[in-house]
Each structure stands twice: as structure tokens, then as C-alpha cells.
Amino acid sequence: MEAPAPATVLPRSKHPIASRQFSTGARKVLRRLRQSGRNACLVGGGVRDLMLGRRPKDYDVVTDARPEEVRRLFRNSRIIGRRFRLVHVLFSDEVVEVSTFRGAPDPEHQRRSPGELLVTSDNTYGTPRQDAFRRDFTVNALLYRASDQAVVDYVEGLEDLDRGLIRVIGEPNLRYREDPVRMLRACEFAARLGFDLEDRTLSAAFEHRREIAKASPHRLIEELLQLLSSGRGAAAFDWMGRSGLLPVVLPEVDEVSGQSSGTNSFSNLAGLLDERVRTGPEVPTAVLLSSLLLPRVVVGRDRLEAGGARVHRRRLQQLVDDVVADFGGRFALSAARRAGMKKALETFQRLCEGPRSSRTVQSLVRREAFGPALELFTLLSAATGSGAEALESWRRHAEAAPPAKPATAGRPRRRRRRRRPRRRHL
Ligand code: ATP
Ligand code: MG
């Protein structure tokens, strides 16, 4: 067997990462693990982003301590996942995810289900090198070793960072079959970092695009939400188009994506949402998700109204219900998420109606879903170049109205901690 290639080790003086850049939580976790004599490294997006001079979204730590030990070391922690046990260490404003170095996949699993590569259960522990090879992309497998502050690269991730390439570690055909969500993640990272997809990473995704149907809908929707809230959704949809994933994962976006050269059409929606995400306050989940369904709702309404007769409101509501039910079913959305989308889209429909009494206006403006609906109206108006006057008038009504009661009124406010999606990985 060929000897494994040696790791590239950049000593502290040869890379730009300084531990003072880490979040307080990440620093604490690394320190305590080290104090207990453990190997502790920062890994994943934290190292990647700091190497690129970007601000990490969250911090992932990997260690040789087992989950139970990590749990004991941090009072503010909990073990998550049954098949893949990880520890979430909870701080007031962040969650640091701590995993134990993973080893090669369990051969017993392969023996039991020959030909089936989808990894569904595995908790074998291993070395830092084995762990790096189980990660998804080369740029996501860099380690920052707390003991000597060196950056360690087993998978030629540093070269790909320089070249601006997202490359699957190992054989993409195999790695996508093990976990089809990686195909979506490839598009997301290429978009977020402004990188290219390496040729085989792209062509294998095309080949295996239909296998994305085997992925857990919960993980898919979490990745889609990450992608939408990154402010680089349009670029991600572009990569999804090129890899053939778009029609499989989001037919509603694919339907409108090539519709025009990019001015005044639905194909602008993703770009406009990106702009909104990048420049404004946090966009509610209901708006992120409903924006994907706006074209279907608007086209559906136009069809209903094509005959010229006034369409009953109940029929329009049914349209929203159907569109949300289809999307919600495909992604196994919670009842709360479906309800949020329905209310936003229904209220949006109401904003699109013609003149109405001031009582109706007041009651619409006071709805909890008015804010999300107005966001959708704003997006649509910018995309289609119409409705500017109506938008102005709704904004004026909103400013004049007393603020809507928040849904949590009366209940004590809980401090909000950043939520990290649960995921199965490696
Ligand atoms: P960010 O947090 O900025 O979105 P990230 O790269 O840190 O990006 P996470 O989802 O936080 O992504 O995952 C942390 C790390 O776990 C990844 O960098 C990667 O090394 C590994 N990982 C996550 N998902 C998978 C997967 N499906 N297959 C293999 N490795 C994965
Ligand atoms: Mg991360």
C-alpha cells in the first residue's frame, strides 16, 4: 500500500490565524480541553474563513476526548445525535460544536449492506488524519492545532484555498453516494466563497443529482436556509443549475431561473433577496422560504384571474395552501414553519388586492404576518418593476400604525442563543 502523503504543517509564523480572533466560546473550549491533557483543534469553516481573512459563522472543535468526557468537562453542554455523537457547548451567544476524531467508516456496515454506500450509522473514532479524510471538502478539513498554533493540512486544502476551488475529498462518486447532501453543500460553499467547483466535484454531482432524494429532508432544508441567509443565494442557485441539482431540489426556482436576461422578472428574486439579506436586519425564515414560492403563487393567481372574473379569496387561499403543502411535504417542514409561510403568503395576497376600506387596512397592518408579507411585496415589486405606488402606500400605513403585538407578549423574554442545526456528518 502507498505511504500516505505527509501533512503540510504551517507554523504560527506562516499563517494569518491568531487565537485572539476566535470567539470567546471557542477559546474557552480549546483551553479547557488542552488543560485536561487533550489534543484540541479548531476545524472546518472557522479555520477556512480565518485563513481567507473572513469572519467565521461558527466554530467547530475536534478533539481526542470522547463525547462523554467533553460533556463532563463543560457543565453547559449536551450530547447530540444518537448515530453521530457530538457535543454542543452552549454559551450565551454561541454554540461551539465539539466532535471526536473519527476513524474510517465501519467495514461491518459495508458487509451488512453491500452496495449501499449511504452512511447511516457510525461512531468509530480515529486519528486526526483519518478524521480529515472523512470531511467533505479539502478547504473544510484544515486544522488549527491549539497545542502549537500550527495549521495542519492532510488533504491539500491549502492549495485549493489559494486556487479558489471546492474539491470533494477522495472519490466524489463515492462521497456523494455516502451523503448526497454534500452535493448541495458544494454549491453553497462555492457561492459563499466565490470559488469554483473543481471539475470532478461538479461532474459527479451531475451524475448523482437524483440521489439527493435519499437525503434527509430536514438536513436539506437546513442547508437551503443557510444558503438563503448567506446573501449568496443567487450564485448558489447558479451552481445548482450547473450541477443539475436545481430542478431536482427546487423545481419552483428552476422554473423561473432562465426566464429572462435578468431585468424585471422572477429570475431577479434571488439576487434581490441576497441584497436584502446583506444590507438589512435579519430576514425571517418565513420570508426566506416563501420567497421561493412567490412566482408559483403569483403565476397561479394570474391564471385564476385570467378570465377577468373576480376570484374569491378562499380560492386564493387554497392556492397558497396547495403551494405550501407541496413544498412543506417535500422538506418535511414543521407545522410552525408551514403556518408562518402560509400566513406570510396569504397576507401578501391581501396586499396585492385593490383599494379597500381603512378598517381593512388597519386590520392587515396589525397582523403579525404583515411584516413578512410586506417584505415579499417589496421583493416582488422590485423584481417585476410594478406595484411601486401600492408599496409606498403600504409602507406609509405601516409607519402610521401602532406596532403589532409580538406573539410572545406576556411571556418572559428568553435570551436568544444562536441555534445550530443538528446534522449528520462525516
Ligand atoms: P459554516 O459553518 O461556515 O457554514 P462549515 O464548513 O463550518 O461552514 P459546518 O456545517 O459548520 O460547515 O460543518 C463543520 C465541518 O464539519 C465542515 O467544515 C466539514 O469539515 C464537516 N462536515 C459538515 N458536514 C459534512 C458532511 N456532510 N460530510 C463530511 N463532512 C462534513
Ligand atoms: Mg461551521
Side-chain angles (χ1 to χ4, degrees):
M1 215 170 91
E2 233 178 277
T8 304
V9 179
L10 295 184
R12 172 65 194 95
S13 57
K14 294 269 169 30
H15 67 74
I17 302 181
S19 60
R20 69 184 136 70
Q21 294 171 288
F22 304 169
S23 67
T24 319
R27 269 204 308 265
K28 282 187 184 161
V29 170
L30 290 173
R31 194 182 324 124
R32 182 135 350 138
L33 284 166
R34 292 269 304 126
Q35 282 166 350
S36 343
R38 288 309 189 173
N39 183 359
C41 303
L42 199 66
V43 69
V47 185
R48 179 196 69 219
D49 290 347
L50 289 170
M51 286 297 290
L52 292 170
R54 304 165 75 103
R55 217 182 115 128
K57 216 173 70 193
D58 50 41
Y59 289 86
D60 301 284
V61 167
V62 64
T63 176
D64 54 359
R66 297 292 165 95
E68 296 71 24
E69 185 182 344
V70 178
R71 169 73 194 90
R72 279 196 302 275
L73 281 175
F74 300 94
R75 212 160 32 95
N76 52 332
S77 69
R78 59 167 184 235
I79 294 184
I80 64 151
R82 256 173 301 152
R83 291 171 174 158
F84 297 86
R85 288 154 64 76
L86 304 164
V87 182
H88 275 179
V89 186
L90 316 173
F91 296 93
S92 59
D93 54 355
E94 67 171 322
V95 179
V96 177
E97 188 166 286
V98 184
S99 61
T100 306
F101 292 121
R102 284 192 200 289
D106 180 6
E108 180 62 13
H109 167 77
Q110 299 292 337
R111 201 180 54 72
R112 277 196 309 265
S113 8
E116 181 50 273
L117 286 170
L118 199 72
V119 176
T120 49
S121 113
D122 144 40
N123 262 318
T124 46
Y125 300 118
T127 62
R129 174 186 290 276
Q130 287 172 329
D131 182 85
F133 277 91
R134 306 244 0 228
R135 292 181 180 273
D136 47 6
F137 308 108
T138 59
V139 296
N140 284 354
L142 301 170
L143 293 170
Y144 168 94
R145 201 158 55 193
S147 60
D148 59 356
Q149 303 176 345
V151 168
V152 184
D153 176 15
Y154 294 100
V155 294
E156 299 182 7
L158 289 167
E159 280 172 34
D160 287 337
L161 264 193
D162 280 346
R163 285 188 288 220
L165 277 186
I166 297 297
R167 181 196 305 272
V168 166
I169 296 171
E171 170 52 55
N173 288 305
L174 217 91
R175 302 302 312 283
Y176 286 151
R177 284 165 67 200
E178 271 175 14
D179 179 7
V181 177
R182 290 175 184 146
M183 296 187 269
L184 187 56
R185 283 174 62 85
C187 298
E188 182 190 331
F189 287 120
R192 261 171 60 188
L193 303 172
F195 279 21
D196 274 333
L197 286 188
E198 176 265 338
D199 289 348
R200 273 163 28 90
T201 298
L202 178 62
S203 59
F206 188 79
E207 205 167 308
H208 295 283
R209 63 195 183 282
R210 302 210 181 282
E211 284 166 53
I212 199 111
K214 290 187 187 168
S216 135
H218 303 285
R219 288 182 64 218
L220 284 179
I221 198 70
E222 290 309 326
E223 290 296 345
L224 284 175
L225 279 170
Q226 306 251 6
L227 175 163
L228 290 169
S229 50
S230 70
R232 302 284 305 156
F237 291 155
D238 228 51
W239 280 112
M240 287 171 71
R242 291 173 65 176
S243 59
L245 286 172
L246 197 60
V248 186
V249 181
L250 289 176
E252 46 281 275
V253 175
D254 184 59
E255 276 159 23
V256 294
S257 67
Q259 217 185 51
S260 88
S261 59
T263 47
N264 294 351
S265 84
F266 292 139
S267 66
N268 271 346
L269 269 175
L272 290 162
L273 181 67
D274 284 344
E275 212 175 292
R276 163 67 186 83
V277 167
R278 290 200 294 259
T279 53
E282 193 179 336
V283 181
T285 303
V287 174
L288 293 176
L289 295 179
S290 301
S291 73
L292 302 174
L293 307 186
L294 260 187
R296 279 198 172 169
V297 168
V298 172
V299 169
R301 190 187 63 209
D302 286 351
R303 274 202 202 114
L304 287 173
E305 287 172 348
R310 201 176 157 275
V311 180
H312 203 280
R313 202 172 278 150
R314 261 210 313 274
R315 186 65 200 87
L316 294 176
Q317 236 168 51
Q318 188 60 48
L319 170 68
V320 167
D321 288 355
D322 292 346
V323 172
V324 173
D326 169 58
F327 184 84
R330 269 159 44 218
F331 292 103
L333 292 192
S334 66
R337 277 195 176 154
R338 288 180 207 226
M341 291 173 75
K342 269 191 205 168
K343 282 188 203 148
L345 286 165
E346 265 164 35
T347 308
F348 158 81
Q349 297 265 42
R350 298 292 307 274
L351 303 194
C352 298
E353 286 172 14
R356 67 223 83 195
S357 73
S358 82
R359 239 181 84 190
T360 313
V361 168
Q362 286 314 309
S363 91
L364 283 173
V365 169
R366 282 158 187 267
R367 279 190 186 186
E368 218 189 300
F370 178 77
L374 191 61
E375 295 248 23
L376 294 174
F377 196 91
T378 309
L379 280 173
L380 188 75
S381 161
T384 58
S386 62
E389 245 174 69
L391 178 62
E392 215 17 70
S393 134
W394 280 119
R395 284 197 175 135
R396 272 199 311 273
H397 288 311
E399 274 163 27
K405 267 196 203 154
T408 52
R411 271 187 259 148
R413 268 175 62 124
R414 282 176 54 198
R415 206 149 39 135
R416 206 168 149 214
R417 179 185 284 141
R418 277 186 54 196
R419 202 175 146 259
R420 287 190 63 143
R422 288 179 68 156
R423 59 155 188 263
R424 208 218 67 208
H425 75 184
L426 297 190

